[in-house]
Amino acid sequence: MSKFLPAFGQVLRYLRTLLVLCSLLLLALSLPAQAATRINPQLEEQILQVIRQHPEVIIESVQAYQQQQAQKVQKERQAFLEDLKTNPQAVIADSPTTGASNSKTLLIEFSDFQCPYCAEAHQTLKKLLAKHQKDVKLVYKHFPLTPIHAEAMPAATAAWAAQQQGKFWEYHDALFTNQNKLGESLYVNIAKKLNLDLAKFQTDRRIANTAIAQDLQLAEKLGLSGTPSFIINSETFSGAIQLSDLEDILARANNY
């Protein structure tokens, strides 16, 4: 499963902030008011020495932060699952959907067009929808892992632009089929093959980031750490999943 850990970056920023605060405190205690604010090497070494002598302070701070974040994520998930049950259209919003139009069972997929595991899941999902087309509605959410996949965001914006002309799923399938060729020429060629209005397609690509950012923010709120990630009723699962496993989850969801 492709990994993306936004929380790790937050921890690092938290530690940097803590270090800055320690530095400022030491400066306030050891330097006159008119002293330069730039930390000199000697003071920096003193700060590092304090940290080395009292690592438990850092560990406790990180643990407290992680616990706080876990509680926040749990709260966000509960609110999301409640919306999924009582107001599914709010969860779907403007996201593309396929499958049973009237199904109460929603399968929310967070995916990245450059992720190889998403490409595998794509094939499995096609089989699931073919066998259970009246039982489930698939909702696609963009989750481009930009730190590790350079073409994830360009592919996502191209797919979003195709959606504006009613061709998201055709474009989506073509991207996964040609995953090893992701790049500008492919994005334009797919658009041409689907007879898209190329001028509108290019314009829409340039404004797609706002919509995709909303999906990314939702993934972060829910504490999702990799792709593909799925949510169906109260279950969350991720990675390349077998058709039989999906069918078991779907059966439980339909009996929920």
Side-chain angles (χ1 to χ4, degrees), residues 25-38:
L25 178 60
L26 285 172
L27 279 168
L29 293 174
S30 63
L31 297 178
Q34 70 272 21
T37 56
R38 185 176 181 181

Side-chain angles (χ1 to χ4, degrees), residues 97-187:
T97 66
T98 187
S101 58
N102 297 320
S103 176
K104 294 182 179 180
T105 302
L106 299 183
L107 174 57
I108 316 295
E109 176 191 14
F110 289 82
S111 185
D112 173 329
F113 287 112
Q114 199 173 357
C115 167
Y117 301 103
C118 292
E120 291 181 27
H122 164 61
Q123 295 299 325
T124 305
L125 289 170
K126 286 182 69 175
K127 295 175 183 176
L128 178 76
L129 291 173
K131 290 182 66 176
H132 303 276
Q133 56 184 328
K134 297 181 180 180
D135 301 323
V136 63
K137 178 189 289 187
L138 176 64
V139 182
Y140 187 94
K141 299 287 186 180
H142 294 280
F143 194 9
L145 308 185
T146 53
I148 59 175
H149 293 152
E151 289 297 327
M153 182 59 83
T157 59
W160 187 88
Q163 180 189 351
Q164 308 317 300
Q165 298 187 48
K167 294 295 182 83
F168 173 82
W169 292 106
E170 295 90 337
Y171 203 98
H172 161 283
D173 291 352
L175 286 174
F176 277 126
T177 300
N178 298 279
Q179 191 179 64
N180 62 336
K181 301 176 184 177
L182 293 180
E184 185 61 25
S185 61
L186 177 67
Y187 306 142

Side-chain angles (χ1 to χ4, degrees), residues 227-248:
T227 55
S229 288
F230 305 93
I231 298 174
I232 183 168
N233 282 0
S234 60
E235 294 196 45
T236 301
F237 50 101
S238 60
I241 192 166
Q242 300 299 313
L243 177 60
S244 58
D245 295 329
L246 272 177
E247 289 180 320
D248 288 341

Side-chain angles (χ1 to χ4, degrees), residues 165 167 188-198 201:
Q165 298 187 48
K167 294 295 182 83
V188 174
N189 287 338
I190 295 174
K192 289 178 179 178
K193 289 180 180 179
L194 294 177
N195 295 317
L196 300 184
D197 179 329
L198 292 182
F201 174 75

